[in-house]
Amino acid sequence: MKVLVIGAHGKVAQLLIPKLVAAGHTVIGGVHNTDQNAAIEKLGATPIIFDLLGPVEKMAAAMQSVDAIVFSAGAGGRGYDQTILIDLDGAVKSMEAAKMAGVRRYVMVSSGASNHRETWGNAIRPYMAAKFYADRELKRSALDYTIIRPGILTDDPETGLYQTPTTNQRSITRGDVAEFINAAIADPATIRQAYDIVNGPYSLSEVLH
């Protein structure tokens, strides 16, 4: 498949791209700054400028001939105004663009517990709300979506083991999130499914199916 990774310079995306390439996919890395191009090329992807603040039509043009989209972008602490514009509005515009371009497969990297309002702390409430409503819009779309909600992200070594979150286990390595995306994107059984994942005792296939 030809896969567009939106937010390709992010930490999870940079671990994902080599996995997609190794699986035989052709990868396009959507970035917002040409200074990131060299890093994306080094990972084996072709970089393109993909502006989530720009018009939907321009996004759709960048999606021509793409088979699948991974949305792994985020405002990255640049303020709650940018969180709304990127994590919510940018995500929804990318969904609209995908439909305009005829791309059906869409994988959303969301956030753990964003679907449980009662757990939102005041400090990250706007971020969680952005993820909540972006996920809701994706579910309402006609896209063949998969929503992945990882727990607290760590840079620990990849384990290959997963489970749903528990009181005692709320974290997951970025490498394991990347591997989950890599496995899910080409698996029809994951279409129109949402997964809340942290590290645990179960294999990837056990959690996916």
Side-chain angles (χ1 to χ4, degrees), residues 169-186:
Q169 179 56 32
R170 298 179 180 176
S171 66
I172 185 168
T173 76
R174 287 180 169 87
D176 284 313
V177 176
E179 184 56 35
F180 197 96
I181 300 166
N182 182 44
I185 195 166

Side-chain angles (χ1 to χ4, degrees), residues 126-142:
Y127 169 75
M128 288 295 206
K131 292 298 188 184
F132 176 88
Y133 286 105
D135 291 354
R136 175 178 284 187
E137 286 304 304
L138 183 54
K139 286 183 175 180
R140 289 174 173 173
S141 76

Side-chain angles (χ1 to χ4, degrees), residues 29-97:
V31 297
H32 68 272
N33 190 327
T34 55
D35 291 343
Q36 300 168 344
N37 284 2
I40 302 307
E41 290 173 347
K42 189 175 180 180
L43 296 171
T46 301
I48 62 167
I49 293 298
F50 195 91
D51 184 9
L52 288 167
L53 303 179
V56 173
E57 292 78 10
K58 193 169 183 178
M59 293 185 194
M63 293 175 178
Q64 296 299 319
S65 78
V66 166
D67 300 303
I69 294 164
V70 177
F71 188 92
S72 189
R78 283 181 277 166
Y80 288 137
D81 56 341
Q82 291 297 299
T83 296
I84 296 301
L85 291 175
I86 294 173
D87 295 74
L88 176 52
D89 189 53
V92 174
K93 286 196 297 184
S94 75
M95 299 169 203
E96 295 170 355

